[in-house]
Amino acid sequence: MTVVESARDGRRAAVLAAVREILLVGGLFLAYELARLLATGHAGVAMANAERVWDLERALRLPSEAAVQGLFIDHRSLMRLINSYYAYVHFPATALALVWMYVRRPALYGWMRWTLAALTGVALLIHLGLPLAPPRMMAFTGLADSGHLIGPAVYGPPDTDQVSNQYAAMPSLHVGWALAVAIALIVATRSRWRWLWLAHPLITLLVVVSSGNHYWLDAIVVGALLTAVLLILPWSHDRQPAESTSS
């Protein structure tokens, strides 16, 4: 085999590996959406569960989600920015992190991918077994549906929405994926600024609560699930040392 043929075969193998990963991760995102739809049609149970979660939070003396929303709801530009973060950052940020890990930290990429897959799978089982209406749907919470009030709106009316399952508040995969991405990027880099990646899950937590889409407990539960996944899934022992740069 000539050098040219060897290089050509190497490029072909790299392209095939990249295509395989794109299909695999694309399948994960598709499964996320399709599995959520399986839990539709449980409005009564979801709303009853919402009352129980709200009561439990008050018993635990957690801060009121309505008080957090109240800090932003009268500032329309800021609230629109919050709603936009909820609508447009979740999937792209996760996809970009996966691409970066695949290109720059391939030895850690597989661990990150399976961490996200395991977290998503367990979360979807909970969505199926414990349908939960978000606080924006429940009048007793005092939270407004900021997406419909100010925009941009992510969801349509719950009874006619054929695209998403709006009764899958617990656990919050917005927060879970953001936290998983932050942890992976912290592990993969050595910059002294790498801990700033934690701003992503912290901002996401603020966004999902202030927009009325999640309860505090949704984030607490997904944090516990992610901890369990990280303890169970083996870390890569042959991972490449992260560069001592700001990347």
Side-chain angles (χ1 to χ4, degrees):
M1 179 180 294
T2 67
V3 174
V4 173
E5 290 174 334
S6 178
R8 186 185 302 117
D9 289 345
R11 288 194 297 271
R12 184 181 298 114
V15 169
L16 290 175
V19 170
R20 181 192 63 203
E21 291 300 327
I22 290 171
L23 292 175
L24 184 61
V25 174
L28 171 62
F29 280 77
L30 181 61
Y32 169 79
E33 291 298 330
L34 292 178
R36 283 166 61 95
L37 292 176
L38 295 176
T40 58
H42 298 89
V45 175
M47 291 182 178
N49 287 336
E51 292 188 32
R52 296 187 184 97
V53 167
W54 186 262
D55 290 343
L56 177 58
E57 285 193 338
R58 305 294 74 79
L60 295 173
R61 300 186 181 279
L62 293 177
S64 170
E65 291 87 347
V68 176
Q69 188 182 75
L71 298 173
F72 307 103
I73 196 69
D74 293 330
H75 305 279
R76 295 184 65 87
S77 296
L78 182 55
M79 197 71 242
R80 181 176 291 273
L81 182 62
I82 288 172
N83 293 336
S84 297
Y85 196 97
Y86 180 84
Y88 305 129
V89 173
H90 176 49
F91 283 111
T94 306
L96 284 173
L98 282 167
V99 170
W100 186 88
M101 292 286 283
Y102 181 79
V103 173
R104 299 295 300 275
R105 303 289 186 267
L108 274 173
Y109 165 78
W111 167 75
M112 179 185 179
R113 178 231 292 153
W114 289 119
T115 296
L116 287 170
L119 177 65
T120 302
V122 175
L124 293 177
L125 290 176
I126 296 176
H127 291 165
L128 291 170
L130 183 69
L132 178 66
R136 60 182 167 80
M137 288 186 185
M138 311 304 295
F140 62 79
T141 66
L143 282 109
D145 186 337
S146 65
H148 284 92
L149 182 65
I150 297 174
V154 177
Y155 306 109
D159 295 338
T160 60
D161 190 349
Q162 300 299 314
V163 178
S164 59
N165 170 28
Q166 297 190 45
Y167 302 117
M170 181 182 289
S172 169
L173 281 175
H174 270 74
V175 175
W177 283 16
L179 185 56
V181 164
I183 291 172
L185 291 175
I186 288 170
V187 170
T189 55
R190 287 293 179 268
S191 167
R192 60 183 174 180
W193 302 106
R194 68 188 184 278
W195 297 101
L196 290 178
W197 288 117
L198 290 174
H200 179 38
L202 291 175
I203 292 172
T204 300
L205 174 60
L206 179 63
V207 163
V208 300
V209 170
S210 60
S211 62
N213 285 291
H214 286 283
Y215 306 89
W216 296 115
L217 280 176
D218 299 337
I220 292 171
V221 169
V222 85
L225 290 177
L226 180 58
T227 300
V229 168
L230 293 174
L231 290 174
I232 293 171
L233 283 182
W235 287 51
S236 174
H237 296 294
D238 60 343
R239 62 179 182 271
Q240 298 172 343
E243 299 172 1
S244 299
T245 67
S246 59
S247 64

